[in-house]
Each structure stands twice: as structure tokens, then as C-alpha cells.
Amino acid sequence: MSAKKQSVLANVRELPSNLWHSIFRNPLPHNDVERSATSFTNFFLHIHPVKVNKNTLRPIYTMGLGLMSFFLFVILVVSGILLMFYYVPSTEQAYDRMLDLRGSVAFGTFLRNMHRWAAHGMVAVVFFHMCRVFFTGAYKRPREFNWVLGVVLLLITLFLSFTGYLLPWDQLAFWAITVGTAIAGYAPLIGKQIRFLLLGDASVGQEALLRFYVLHVALLPAIATLLIAIHFWRIRKDGGLSRPARAEGKPELSISVQAVELDPKRTYGLQGLVRGPLVKVGNVPENSVYSWPNLLIAELFALVVTLAIILIVSLLFNAPLEEPVNVMHPPNPAKAPWYFLGLQEMVSYSAFWGGVGVPGLFVLLLILTPYLDRSPGGVGLWFSRKRLLANTVFLTFVIVNIAFIVIGTFFRGPNWSFVTPW
Amino acid sequence: MGLNPRRDAGTDSDDRASRRRLLGWLSGVGLFGSGILSAFSNFVFIKPRATYGAPQRFTAGKPSDYPDGTRVALEPRRVCIVRDGNKLAAISTTCTHLGCIVGLSETGFACPCHGSRYDQDGTVTGGPAPKPLAWYKVSLAPNGELEIDKDVEVNPGTYLNV
Ligand code: HEM
Ligand code: FES
């Protein structure tokens, strides 16, 4: 900033470059200081730490599953908002709007495919992300609460998918939701009330469609966005992603802020309030690399892979659309969405235990996991020997869960009797 | 306010501290109370007082419309009117398993969804249904029509004599 007066002409000549530099404060980085500054000063990049541990970047450690969940969520938000331009949540119009998407809206089928397949994909990927976190022991101190947030995110993901299932208002949608909400009705005492609140009526109809629509396009996405933001924030504050401890037994560092009154007579700066280890610059320097470009490239790669899979699947397969709703003629068998077919399978053995008791207990156990298993060992490694018991128990849960879903999906035919799919 | 530490160290510091505590306490109680109230009122709001769908209470013609031995399903209403001699009853056609609509069969009712079967009185005879079909209250409206109230369940075997 020199005092020298510049001619307006010169200002105009420099305008493009000045504009550019006012938006992007840093040039493409060439040295470590600039690399730090890039992550630090860009709104979209500052979610990253300046440096990340090398373990974080090992592809087989996270498998990018959490990131893929997030990217699928983004794809769903974008495609969902576009679909909203044509969708009407009315029992009279909804189905016709589906036909219009197929017949007269440019890219309508494609968008619907993307939205549908990304939704199914997200349920699966979030579940596998949870498995990854468990088998690497990543829920242990200090990440207990992020695990709890994760469990809530899993439930919200399921609920988002479930509420979206009704919107096409075809036979598949109607009976899946009829069956799905009936399962909720099995909860003792409050089951019937919950079902009534959810449906806004005694059975699935216009009120239910409107309620599911509001939940699906407004309330649940807003909650999910907020929780995902906190989930990410806490990853940073918990000291980055989990990794093998260098010296066993020593808890990892994490940022903890404690307010201590130094001297009541003194005015002091904020630093004076902060106790305990702060940013881990120099903590494990030999084992960390700059986020720009290492982490960024890994993330972009995960994004491209996610996008590519969704695009290809959407080009190849069309989202199902069955006959319009016919309240008089349930299909045989009527099935809930696939991720609830394990539930439905269990409900066919015992209504209460299968539909409410076992799943409720399962969710409770999931939430309590990091508080029940407090042993510090085995964090940061897949299937650590130190966690043999915990991993075996969880693996059993996972296999049983998947087995029930597979049975319910492929091996149940008319009258819910056992059939072979081949 | 409060920027000058010496002010805090004065003789009135106890006063200020207790005022602060009182204010904090009041705000806490106020916010907590509003939270509870708003949760409660949202719950009341979201629970519909009147539903827009098919009404739970409706009339279904005169008893003479149903001759002896009739078993007829009023499908949109999800009930089956049964007449046995002078006795009339309304049995639910909503399957107690997962809410599909049961159809009339030779032996009573059968659900197409997962194969639950019921006898003529709605007692479960097979399949995953955990409970018998509900029986609803039937009464005679002043104009002589049958009135069925699906909000009121009666014991199976409770008939209206006409
Ligand atoms: C909407 C769903 C979710 C999104 C978008 C999401 C996103 C992420 C991302 C991007 C990461 C960074 C590491 C990685 O990619 O694996 C992560 C880590 C983590 N997630 Fe999730 N997640 C979701 C659901 C869950 C669930 C269901 C759980 C477990 C019940 C969970 C627990 C955790 C924990 C404990 C970490 C830290 C892992 C570590 O430090 O190694 N998250 N999540
Ligand atoms: S809903 Fe009737 S048998 Fe399942």
C-alpha cells in the first residue's frame, strides 16, 4: 500500500487480479508456511487441521466410509432440492408427479435414480462406517461422545430414508410404510400414540404423506446437518482421527480447556484461561504431513469415487415405481424397506421382542458401548488382539443383523413363508 | 461494566455476586420452563384433534340391509358387518399383525400379507398375528341406522340385538 496515487485506469487494469486475491488470500502454496496458511485462511479448508497424522491417510484405515456417508448426504440434499421443484405431497398428485418425472421432466428419471440409489447407499455406508469405527476401537476415550452422536446419526439416516420411502405413493411405498409404522405400534404404552402422531391419522393417508414430507425435506435434514457439523468438529477436538498409541497406556492428547481463575485482581488474556495441551504441533511431528495437499487429494478422490458410483448406477438402473396405491389390495407379501426387513423377520417370530424389545436393547447397547468398554488398549488397529471379545460380540451382532435382512429380503415369499430365490 | 477489576474488588462485590447469581438463576429457570412448555405445546399441536381422513365413527345403513347370515366387508371403512339371527356386530378387517387388510375366506378371515388366518369371530387360527381382530361398538342412531364407532373396542362376541 503505497501512498502513490494510481490512475483509475491502472486500477481497472489490475481489477481481475485484485479481485482474485481478495477472494483467495493465499497463492497456491509452495512452502510449508504457505501450506499451513492455505488450510488456515480458507473457510472451506479450515475445517481441516494444518497437519494430519499419516495414519489418518491410510486408505485401509478409514476406508473413507465416513467421508462417503457425508458426500452421499450432500448428493441427496442437492438432488432432493431439485426433485422438490416438481413434487407435490398430495395423495391425488404424488404418483402422477412420479410419472411426470419419468415422462416429461428433463433428467427427471436420472435425478430420481440418483436420489433413490444414494439414499439406499447412505444407509449401507453409514452402517459400514460404524463397523469400521467399532473394529478399530475408535470409540474409546476421548471419542465416546462422538460415537454416541454417530449412533443418533445412524438412526436419523434410517428415519430419513424411511420417510422418503412413502413419497412416491405407489403400492411399494404405501404398504412398506403401513407395515413399518405397524412395527412402531408394538412399542408398549406409547407405541400406538407414536404411530398416531407419525401418521396424523389412524391409517396411512393424506395426513401421513404430508407429515412424512415435512420430516423428510425439512426437519430431519436440518437435524442431520447440525449433527454432522458437530460430529466433524468433535473429530478435531478429540485430537484428530484415532491411531495406534505410541506408548501403550498413555491416553492420547486431546484439546481440553479448563477455566482457572489465576488471580481475581488481574485482568488477563484468553490464553491465560487455557490449560492443558493445545494444538499438537510438534507432538508427533515425524509422523504427520500437511493437509494441503495430502488430505485434500484423498478427500477429492473419495468424492470422485462416490459420485462415479452413484452416476453409473443411476444410468444403469431405474428406481422402482409400482402400481398406484390401492388400499384394498395389499401385495403378498407386504415388505418394509430392506433395512427394516430384519426387524420384520424378527416380528414374525415375536411381535414385541422382534419389533421393539431386541432392537431397542440393541440401540441402547450401541449408545452405551464406549461407556461399558473402557479398556484403553487396541485403539487404531483393525481387529486388534486386545479387543478380541468386544470385536467378536459386535461381529456376531453384525452378521446376525445382515442375515436377518437377507432372509427377509430374499427368502420370504407369499404369506411370509420360506422360499428360495432361485 | 466489569472491565475494571478494581470495581469488582470493592465492598459491594457480594451484592453484585448475589445479583448475578439471582439473574443467572432466573434466566435458567425461565429458559428451562419455556423449553418444557414449548415441548409440551408442540406435542399438543402436532397431535391432531380432528383427523381429515375417513372418520372413525360412521353410519352404515339400516339393520334390514343386512339379512340373516350376512358377512360383508365395507372395505374403505375397514370393517366387516356380521349378522347372525337378530344379532349384529362389526369386526375390524385390519390385520393385527402389521396392519394389512384381511379378506373374507371360507373359514373366516385371511390376511394376504403374511398369511395370518382368523376364524369367523376373528380369533387367530394361524400365522403371525398376535391378537384377534378387534370388535367395534355398534349402536342404533336415532334415525334407525347402524352407527359404528371404531374408537371403541368391545369384547369379541358382543352383539347388538335388533
Ligand atoms: C450421517 C452419518 C455420518 C457421517 C456423515 C459421518 C462422517 C464421519 C467422517 C467424515 C469421519 C472421519 C473419518 C472417516 O471418514 O471414517 C467420521 C469419524 C467418526 N465417526 Fe462418523 N459419520 C456418520 C455416522 C457415524 C456413526 C453411525 C458412528 C458410530 C455409531 C460414527 C462414529 C464416528 C467416530 C467415533 C469417528 C472418529 C473415528 C476415529 O477417530 O477414528 N459416525 N465420521
Ligand atoms: S399384516 Fe396380516 S399377516 Fe402380516
Side-chain angles (χ1 to χ4, degrees):
Chain A
M1 276 235 266
S2 66
K4 199 180 72 186
K5 276 218 187 91
Q6 278 215 100
S7 69
V8 175
L9 201 67
N11 284 348
V12 170
R13 213 181 311 117
E14 284 174 13
L15 187 126
S17 111
N18 283 341
L19 184 63
W20 179 265
H21 290 295
S22 68
I23 299 174
F24 300 101
R25 293 199 181 87
N26 291 286
L28 279 182
H30 296 291
N31 57 46
D32 287 351
V33 177
E34 287 170 13
R35 274 179 206 114
S36 314
T38 308
S39 309
F40 217 73
T41 54
N42 181 302
F43 176 79
F44 296 99
L45 297 180
H46 91 281
I47 190 166
H48 302 117
V50 167
K51 291 178 106 177
V52 285
N53 192 282
K54 276 187 191 150
N55 188 63
T56 301
L57 296 173
R58 274 169 54 218
I60 54 148
Y61 185 60
T62 64
M63 304 204 172
L65 289 167
L67 259 188
M68 285 171 72
S69 316
F70 174 67
F71 291 142
L72 285 170
F73 183 68
V74 174
I75 293 175
L76 284 164
V77 170
V78 174
S79 56
I81 288 177
L82 289 172
L83 289 173
M84 280 176 76
F85 279 104
Y86 285 102
Y87 180 79
V88 184
S90 119
T91 53
E92 249 119 65
Q93 288 193 51
Y95 186 78
D96 289 341
R97 294 300 179 131
M98 290 296 124
L99 295 180
D100 288 350
L101 279 178
R102 208 187 245 177
S104 59
V105 176
F107 300 115
T109 309
F110 187 65
L111 267 178
R112 191 168 163 245
N113 292 352
M114 275 183 78
H115 197 73
R116 176 60 76 108
W117 301 136
H120 285 327
M122 186 169 163
V123 172
V125 171
V126 169
F127 183 77
F128 288 128
H129 169 59
M130 176 173 83
C131 296
R132 185 294 276 179
V133 170
F134 193 96
F135 291 130
T136 55
Y139 55 82
K140 298 197 169 180
R141 214 173 79 83
R143 299 185 177 79
E144 302 102 317
F145 193 69
N146 223 12
W147 166 272
V148 176
L149 277 178
V151 177
V152 179
L153 275 170
L154 173 69
L155 297 179
I156 296 218
T157 306
L158 287 174
F159 200 32
L160 260 171
S161 193
F162 184 65
T163 48
Y165 216 86
L166 182 63
L167 304 185
W169 203 250
D170 62 349
Q171 282 285 74
L172 185 68
F174 184 85
W175 293 104
I177 302 305
T178 299
V179 167
T181 51
I183 295 178
Y186 276 117
L189 305 176
I190 49 166
K192 291 273 175 312
Q193 256 85 323
I194 291 182
R195 187 178 135 87
F196 183 70
L197 280 187
L198 208 55
L199 296 182
D201 204 342
S203 57
V204 181
Q206 174 62 60
E207 292 311 291
L209 182 56
L210 187 56
R211 280 175 184 228
F212 274 46
Y213 178 72
V214 172
L215 288 172
H216 186 74
V217 306
L219 197 58
L220 294 174
I223 297 176
T225 307
L226 180 69
L227 292 185
I228 290 175
I230 303 177
H231 195 58
F232 288 0
W233 162 264
R234 287 194 78 106
I235 293 175
R236 288 286 303 275
K237 300 297 148 179
D238 291 342
L241 287 197
S242 55
R243 56 187 163 271
R246 288 200 308 157
E248 243 348 340
K250 212 162 58 173
E252 271 178 76
L253 292 178
S254 69
I255 293 182
S256 64
V257 179
Q258 285 173 333
V260 280
E261 218 172 341
L262 294 177
D263 176 356
K265 298 246 166 66
R266 246 190 67 192
T267 42
Y268 35 75
L270 192 60
Q271 293 95 320
L273 291 169
V274 182
R275 274 289 161 84
L278 268 175
V279 199
K280 281 175 304 327
V281 179
N283 178 30
V284 272
E286 74 281 15
N287 215 6
S288 57
V289 292
Y290 280 93
S291 301
W292 175 290
N294 303 288
L295 179 59
L296 210 71
I297 289 174
E299 291 180 347
L300 283 182
F301 184 72
L303 172 60
V304 167
V305 170
T306 314
L307 253 182
I309 294 176
I310 292 299
L311 291 182
I312 291 172
V313 172
S314 303
L315 279 174
L316 294 181
F317 304 100
N318 279 342
L321 184 65
E322 297 192 353
E323 300 290 300
V325 168
N326 183 340
V327 181
M328 299 316 145
H329 290 100
N332 187 359
K335 291 191 176 185
W338 63 268
Y339 37 82
F340 286 148
L341 279 185
L343 279 188
Q344 198 178 338
E345 173 67 18
M346 292 197 292
V347 167
S348 71
Y349 308 138
S350 155
F352 171 71
W353 283 107
V356 183
V358 173
L361 222 59
F362 182 56
V363 169
L364 193 71
L365 270 181
L366 266 187
I367 290 179
L368 290 181
T369 294
Y371 304 97
L372 296 178
D373 170 20
R374 308 280 302 168
S375 61
V379 176
L381 297 167
W382 276 89
F383 300 110
S384 158
R385 293 277 288 283
K386 296 208 178 89
R387 297 175 26 78
L388 196 61
L389 177 67
N391 282 338
T392 314
V393 172
F394 191 75
L395 188 64
T396 315
F397 268 123
V398 170
I399 291 176
V400 169
N401 198 352
I402 293 180
F404 271 126
I405 289 180
V406 169
I407 293 176
T409 310
F410 298 109
F411 293 86
R412 290 299 182 180
N415 293 348
W416 208 248
S417 54
F418 201 79
V419 293
T420 41
W422 44 85
Chain B
M1 265 204 16
L3 279 181
N4 184 345
R6 229 177 292 155
R7 286 259 303 266
D8 280 345
T11 47
D12 60 350
S13 72
D14 278 356
D15 269 8
R16 296 170 62 83
S18 66
R19 185 162 81 218
R20 209 151 41 217
R21 206 167 326 118
L22 179 69
L23 285 177
W25 193 82
L26 280 179
S27 329
V29 169
L31 280 177
F32 186 73
S34 331
I36 302 267
L37 276 181
S38 90
F40 176 74
S41 43
N42 273 304
F43 174 80
V44 172
F45 170 77
I46 215 83
K47 190 176 160 130
R49 284 194 183 151
T51 55
Y52 298 85
Q56 293 290 90
R57 204 166 79 196
F58 52 89
T59 55
K62 300 233 188 288
S64 53
D65 297 345
Y66 306 94
D68 186 13
T70 304
R71 298 176 64 77
V72 56
L74 309 179
E75 284 199 322
R77 303 287 192 192
R78 294 191 167 208
V79 295
C80 174
I81 308 278
V82 177
R83 176 148 184 182
D84 181 10
N86 282 338
K87 301 182 299 178
L88 263 165
I91 302 179
S92 158
T93 56
T94 300
C95 183
T96 56
H97 177 227
L98 291 176
C100 286
I101 297 187
V102 296
L104 298 183
S105 71
E106 310 264 290
T107 52
F109 303 90
C111 180
C113 286
H114 319 103
S116 288
R117 288 177 306 283
Y118 306 85
D119 69 8
Q120 307 265 1
D121 290 339
T123 313
V124 182
T125 54
K131 285 192 304 189
L133 295 173
W135 286 46
Y136 296 126
K137 185 180 161 204
V138 188
S139 52
L140 275 184
N143 65 359
E145 287 209 52
L146 290 171
E147 190 178 76
I148 295 161
D149 188 349
K150 286 172 63 178
D151 280 331
V152 184
E153 287 189 20
V154 295
N155 288 328
T158 313
Y159 287 92
L160 172 76
N161 286 311
V162 289

